[in-house]
Amino acid sequence: MGPADTDFDVIIIGAGPAGSSAAIYTSRANLRTLVIDKGIKSGALGITNKIENYPGVKDSMSGEALIDIMHEQAKSFGAEFLKTKVTGTDFNTGRKAVFTSEGNIHYSKVLLLATGAMGKSKFIAGEESLLGKGVSYCATCDGAFFKDKTAAVIGSNEEALEEALFLTRFVRKLYIISQRNTFDASDEIISDIKSNPLIEIKQPDRALSINGNEKVESVTISRVSEENKTDLPVDGVFIFTQGNKPVIDYLAGQVPVDQNSCMHVDHEMQTTISGVFACGDILCNDVQQAVVAAAQGCIAALAIDKYINKKTKFAKDYK
């Protein structure tokens, strides 16, 4: 990509299942498409060790391998991929401007936001290095890999407790580690947690570190008001301390979001800003699965084709 290659029909920020699926459709529709992402393993799917429930994937594969297949498919239709960090955007001119860390500016008629929800401001020691090696942010995605094993859930909100109950379908033992004396959840789900024989609650306890070399081996905890440390042997750690926060820092507040930083779109995946679309986990989907993100990417791409070419309805394309 040379200095002159800065004008596109579509720029997609985020190359996970949502962005990659959209790129397949937009490039196949002869829309010049640029996908910008800082790396395959920067998103939730990219750090997933095994995928077994994606349609068409008969044998398990890594999330990284699945995304790589999507990228190659999009490239075969002409999509261009750029590995870099997006540092800013500007919607105030006729074109959408996207700024990257190298100081370059890329322009497009339409912008699709697909950066997911991996934003965190604080990490537990060992969390980043063991992502995909036993550390996860999604029990419904990865719970089946911990059948008859021991796991820990870190968090005290309703999402954490719901995911903990889901994990009890697979694990032989589960710890819930919460810094708070109380859970921020409904009485019903708290009752289900406390009555489940597979669950041991560590409360109020801090998770100090997640330990292991090639995989998670233990988590170190201590009482909030004490110095004594305890190592809990575990095979997996599921973290819900802050939820999965949408990655939107590069927007600098140009797209309205709610109090949870969640973006809202219409039925065609368009935000309140004309020509700016969004799809995938950046929308705070209740169901965070790769197939859902991919489906939203498809819808967004068809809507973008309709928007750019001033069509009255979606193109029907099953080929």
Side-chain angles (χ1 to χ4, degrees):
M1 186 180 300
D5 296 327
T6 59
D7 284 291
F8 295 86
D9 294 313
V10 186
I11 292 179
I12 300 170
I13 306 177
S20 297
S21 296
I24 291 170
Y25 278 83
T26 56
S27 57
R28 194 167 181 270
N30 292 321
L31 298 176
R32 191 174 182 213
T33 301
L34 173 65
V35 185
I36 305 176
D37 198 305
K38 60 184 178 181
I40 288 179
K41 297 199 72 132
S42 62
L45 183 60
I47 62 172
T48 301
N49 203 33
K50 289 183 181 179
I51 298 291
E52 292 183 330
N53 59 354
Y54 193 87
V57 177
K58 184 178 179 181
D59 300 315
S60 66
M61 67 168 63
S62 69
E64 183 177 358
L66 179 58
I67 291 179
D68 191 55
I69 291 172
M70 294 180 183
H71 289 188
E72 291 305 313
Q73 188 175 1
K75 289 176 184 177
S76 73
F77 295 124
E80 300 176 52
F81 283 75
L82 177 61
K83 183 178 179 180
T84 188
K85 179 177 175 58
V86 173
T87 57
T89 52
D90 186 0
F91 310 146
N92 293 322
T93 61
R95 297 179 298 171
K96 316 301 180 191
V98 178
F99 305 88
T100 64
S101 57
E102 297 85 1
N104 296 326
I105 307 174
H106 302 279
Y107 298 95
S108 64
K109 299 173 184 175
V110 166
L111 187 62
L112 175 59
L113 312 175
T115 40
M118 289 285 288
K120 286 172 67 69
S121 59
K122 192 175 182 181
F123 287 88
I124 299 167
E127 177 182 344
E128 291 182 280
S129 63
L130 290 168
L131 276 175
K133 300 175 183 178
V135 171
S136 174
Y137 305 123
C138 180
T140 53
C141 305
D142 299 329
F145 299 121
F146 294 88
K147 185 173 177 61
D148 298 325
K149 296 183 178 181
T150 300
V153 166
I154 299 175
S156 59
N157 56 25
E158 186 141 341
E159 178 191 17
L161 301 194
E162 288 175 347
E163 297 280 277
L165 288 174
F166 180 84
L167 281 169
T168 59
R169 303 181 192 182
F170 306 101
V171 301
R172 69 169 181 267
K173 183 175 182 62
L174 180 70
Y175 296 102
I176 296 180
I177 303 167
S178 169
Q179 289 194 58
R180 300 178 56 186
N181 281 305
T182 59
F183 291 118
D184 183 17
S186 67
D187 292 339
E188 181 180 2
I189 194 169
I190 293 172
S191 175
D192 290 342
I193 288 290
K194 291 183 175 179
S195 62
N196 193 302
L198 298 180
I199 294 176
E200 182 176 340
I201 299 172
K202 297 292 185 180
Q203 185 182 51
D205 282 26
R206 297 174 294 170
L208 302 178
S209 66
I210 302 168
N211 315 306
N213 293 316
E214 296 302 314
K215 62 179 182 179
V216 168
E217 297 172 3
S218 67
V219 57
T220 301
I221 64 172
S222 74
R223 282 279 146 144
V224 170
S225 58
E226 299 175 7
E227 296 296 327
N228 294 336
K229 299 178 182 179
T230 303
D231 285 340
L232 302 176
V234 295
D235 302 289
V237 179
F238 294 81
I239 302 174
F240 305 98
T241 51
Q242 299 171 340
N244 284 342
K245 185 179 178 181
V247 180
I248 57 173
D249 55 310
Y250 58 92
L251 296 173
Q254 294 180 90
V255 179
V257 295
D258 64 19
Q259 65 273 19
N260 297 312
S261 299
C262 300
M263 202 170 293
H264 297 283
V265 294
D266 62 18
H267 68 285
E268 294 187 352
M269 299 292 156
Q270 186 164 199
T271 70
T272 54
I273 297 177
S274 179
V276 178
F277 295 74
C279 60
D281 289 350
I282 196 173
L283 303 180
C284 301
N285 294 321
D286 289 334
V287 180
Q288 294 188 332
Q289 294 286 298
V291 67
V292 174
Q296 290 184 342
C298 168
I299 295 170
L302 295 175
I304 288 168
D305 177 47
K306 174 186 169 187
Y307 177 91
I308 289 178
N309 291 302
K310 297 180 172 57
K311 298 178 179 179
T312 57
K313 58 183 179 180
F314 282 0
K316 292 185 178 179
D317 184 0
Y318 298 101
K319 300 188 294 293

